[in-house]
Amino acid sequence: MSAQADDANRLQDIAGAFYAERMTRDEARSAVIDVVLRRMHCSRVSLWKFERERGHLSLLCFASKIAGGTLLTVERRLRDSEYRDYFNGLIERGVYLSDDAMRDAALQPMRESYLVANHIVSMLDAAFVVNNRAFGMVCCEETGEQRHWTASDIASLRAIVNKLALLMATADDHALWGSPSLPLRELRSALPAPPL
């Protein structure tokens, strides 16, 4: 059995247990993160979604886990001014990779509030997309030495995230459909629109 087939089967089992109410949402999130950690061999995995906050969309980290650790559900937010450039790169390619996150120009707005605060030196993220709308992302993070992400890493993460999106969409998951999302197009800058 291929690695991708093994991951898909494990995700199917987790989804089946969750939707049959044999597993709580946090247990399912922890198990999903374990699949990603096992495949990607990274320091930490975090799960993000959009949340409407005072009329603006923030990116909310709602679950994370370090390799060998327990699930953390302490919420962390990024404002649109912190994630806009990064997110534009993410939706343009479906993934965002940075071998040197601290020097990455698109990540500079979140450098102090997220990268430095969490010791992130490299990251590989994949957008969580359903019906051509982005609902959030899965982030693989390195906190030790910088990492050069390979084409195989990218393919593995995309396969996992695509399978998750398919499972949630076909199960009509209320947490998915009740969450804000963005169309797969570039976010506007903070500059005012030109006059008509």
Side-chain angles (χ1 to χ4, degrees):
M1 178 181 299
S2 72
Q4 287 187 0
D6 184 49
D7 292 342
N9 286 341
R10 180 67 186 124
L11 293 170
Q12 184 80 44
D13 291 345
I14 294 166
F18 171 69
Y19 292 118
E21 298 181 353
R22 295 190 310 271
M23 187 180 271
T24 67
R25 190 169 292 277
D26 279 348
E27 289 170 336
R29 289 171 175 164
S30 183
V32 164
I33 290 175
D34 285 340
V35 170
V36 180
L37 283 167
R38 187 184 75 209
R39 181 63 51 217
M40 303 303 295
H41 306 287
C42 57
S43 302
R44 182 174 65 192
V45 171
S46 56
L47 305 178
W48 297 75
K49 66 179 182 176
F50 289 105
E51 184 174 81
R52 202 163 301 285
E53 182 183 46
R54 293 186 215 116
H56 297 281
L57 278 182
S58 59
L59 264 176
L60 172 70
C61 177
F62 60 90
S64 64
K65 193 174 187 179
I66 61 169
T70 58
L71 183 72
L72 298 176
T73 55
V74 176
E75 296 181 349
R76 293 178 296 274
R77 282 182 177 74
L78 293 174
R79 296 179 311 275
D80 57 359
S81 61
E82 293 176 296
Y83 71 75
R84 183 183 299 112
D85 293 340
Y86 148 79
F87 190 76
N88 285 337
L90 176 68
I91 62 171
E92 183 180 308
R93 294 176 292 281
V95 296
Y96 192 94
L97 67 90
S98 181
D99 296 340
D100 187 354
M102 292 295 180
R103 291 193 174 124
D104 189 318
L107 300 177
Q108 288 310 298
M110 69 174 83
R111 187 178 191 279
E112 295 302 318
S113 64
Y114 189 73
L115 301 178
V116 171
N118 294 287
H119 313 289
I120 297 168
V121 296
S122 299
M123 56 192 267
L124 171 63
D125 304 348
F128 191 86
V129 178
V130 178
N131 294 338
N132 213 33
R133 294 189 69 84
F135 285 82
M137 66 233 32
V138 174
C139 303
C140 297
E141 303 163 346
E142 286 296 346
T143 59
E145 295 183 19
Q146 289 180 5
R147 176 169 174 175
H148 174 70
W149 302 97
T150 66
S152 177
D153 292 332
I154 294 167
S156 294
L157 184 59
R158 282 184 111 163
I160 289 170
V161 173
N162 289 344
K163 181 65 175 181
L164 283 172
L166 177 65
L167 289 169
M168 290 181 75
T170 56
D172 202 24
D173 188 289
H174 74 277
L176 171 70
W177 300 116
S179 296
S181 63
L182 288 173
L184 289 185
R185 64 173 185 253
E186 188 170 300
L187 300 177
R188 290 189 205 144
S189 71
L191 298 175
L196 296 175

